[in-house]
């Protein structure tokens, strides 16, 4: 069995997508779910078409060059010919903030705004502009990104999982921009201390935030980047690796 994908919790649930042969199943990551998988070898996750998996034995992970998706908008700054159909849809420009005081600018199709913010695990957000198409949105994003940046790495998000947004930081930031709407998200993790970053699939799911799952295991709490699990072969029975224990485990 191999991890061949994941989904962030948006309105329903977060999950891992698992392939056993050609069949693809979903392992929900609802709070309280017990995961008991040990990680084996990691290789390309291949391709998924609906509920069917096409395996790949290439050693590159999570995907080999043949199975790597190349999204043309990933680094777009608006100097383009609108290469995909979605470019012509109405777009929103937004700010997404992550505890305690990190922010990025981003764009998405207007109807996906709140979904996109939850996919990223934003703690606070502000809708700045609604524009006619993706090219205009990317041009605005590029201008704002010179001051704020347009990317927040997962380790930075993990570092602030146990913290709240710095209210003075957020208030001062909003004073600099005109906003159409603001958002405040709660992921229900209730962390007293920073969880340790680890790649594992054993433990009790406390919750998820964006693509990060928080697992309790033997008195310690771990933050797992779900993308880091993609490509791993899994076996039942839980991990037998020695894991670093948090100070709280000895309380």
């Amino acid at each position: 069995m191999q991890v061949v994908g994941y989904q962030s919790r948006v309105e329903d649930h977060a999950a891992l997508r698992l392939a056993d042969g050609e069949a693809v199943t979903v392992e929900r990551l609802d709070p309280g779910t017990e995961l008991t998988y040990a990680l084996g070898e990691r290789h390309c996750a291949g391709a998924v078409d609906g509920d069917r998996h096409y395996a790949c034995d290439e050693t590159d992970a999570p995907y080999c060059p043949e199975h790597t998706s190349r999204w043309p908008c990933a680094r777009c700054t608006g100097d383009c010919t609108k290469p995909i159909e979605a470019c012509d849809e109405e777009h929103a420009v937004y700010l997404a903030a992550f505890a305690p005081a990190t922010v990025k600018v981003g764009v998405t199709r207007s109807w996906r705004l709140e979904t996109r913010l939850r996919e990223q695990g934003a703690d606070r957000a502000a809708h700045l502009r609604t524009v006619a198409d993706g090219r205009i949105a990317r041009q605005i994003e590029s201008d704002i990104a010179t001051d704020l940046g347009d990317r927040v790495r997962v380790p930075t998000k993990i570092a602030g999982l146990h913290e709240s947004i710095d209210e003075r930081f957020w208030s001062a930031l909003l004073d600099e921009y005109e906003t159409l709407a603001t958002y405040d998200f709660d992921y229900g993790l209730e962390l007293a201390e920073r969880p340790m970053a680890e790649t594992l699939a054993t433990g009790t799911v406390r919750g998820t935030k964006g693509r990060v799952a928080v697992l309790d295991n033997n008195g310690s709490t771990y933050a797992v980047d779900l993308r880091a699990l993609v490509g791993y072969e899994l076996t039942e029975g839980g991990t037998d690796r020695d894991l670093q224990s948090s100070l709280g485990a000895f309380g």
Side-chain angles (χ1 to χ4, degrees):
M1 184 162 52
Q2 185 186 25
V3 182
V4 296
Y6 67 91
Q7 65 186 49
S8 303
R9 180 187 174 193
V10 180
E11 295 179 356
D12 190 5
H13 59 272
L16 291 173
R17 303 194 77 187
L18 307 179
D20 190 356
E22 293 185 352
V24 177
T25 59
V26 171
E27 176 78 60
R28 291 178 60 128
L29 299 176
D30 298 326
T33 297
E34 295 286 346
L35 299 180
T36 57
Y37 298 112
L39 304 184
E41 294 184 356
R42 193 183 190 204
H43 58 88
C44 176
V48 174
D49 183 5
D51 293 329
R52 184 174 181 180
H53 177 240
Y54 298 88
C56 177
D57 294 328
E58 292 294 325
T59 57
D60 293 332
Y63 299 102
C64 71
E66 181 179 349
H67 292 112
T68 297
S69 174
R70 293 173 176 83
W71 184 44
C73 301
R75 306 306 302 165
C76 176
T77 59
D79 184 17
C80 66
T81 58
K82 298 193 289 185
I84 60 177
E85 185 175 338
C87 293
D88 288 317
E89 294 184 41
E90 181 183 86
H91 276 62
V93 182
Y94 63 84
L95 300 181
F98 305 85
T102 301
V103 67
K104 58 154 283 189
V105 61
V107 305
T108 188
R109 286 172 287 174
S110 293
W111 63 271
R112 288 198 83 250
L113 177 57
E114 186 167 344
T115 295
R116 182 62 184 140
L117 294 168
R118 289 184 178 277
E119 286 174 345
Q120 296 177 82
D123 293 296
R124 299 285 180 88
H127 180 184
L128 301 183
R129 297 274 300 276
T130 300
V131 296
D133 60 45
R135 182 166 58 194
I136 298 171
R138 289 294 183 182
Q139 291 168 348
I140 297 170
E141 177 192 41
S142 181
D143 288 341
I144 297 174
T146 60
D147 295 322
L148 298 183
D150 59 4
R151 181 175 297 188
V152 179
R153 302 288 185 180
V154 170
T156 300
K157 297 178 183 180
I158 289 175
L161 280 177
H162 64 304
E163 300 191 70
S164 300
I165 283 287
D166 183 320
E167 295 293 347
R168 288 190 297 178
F169 156 80
W170 183 237
S171 179
L173 185 66
L174 292 183
D175 286 343
E176 299 180 21
Y177 296 91
E178 294 183 7
T179 62
L180 300 177
T182 58
Y183 301 83
D184 185 350
F185 299 105
D186 181 4
Y187 300 89
L189 298 178
E190 299 181 357
L191 294 166
E193 59 183 22
R194 174 181 174 178
M196 291 170 293
E198 184 61 85
T199 302
L200 77 162
T202 301
T204 304
V205 178
R206 181 184 289 239
T208 58
K209 184 180 181 186
R211 76 184 210 197
V212 176
V214 178
L215 306 181
D216 293 322
N217 184 311
N218 290 330
S220 294
T221 303
Y222 300 93
V224 182
D225 181 354
L226 296 179
R227 180 176 168 79
L229 291 176
V230 176
Y232 272 106
E233 297 285 350
L234 302 181
T235 55
E236 292 278 2
T239 186
D240 57 1
R241 291 188 295 121
D242 290 330
L243 302 173
Q244 181 182 354
S245 297
S246 65
L247 294 176
F250 302 102

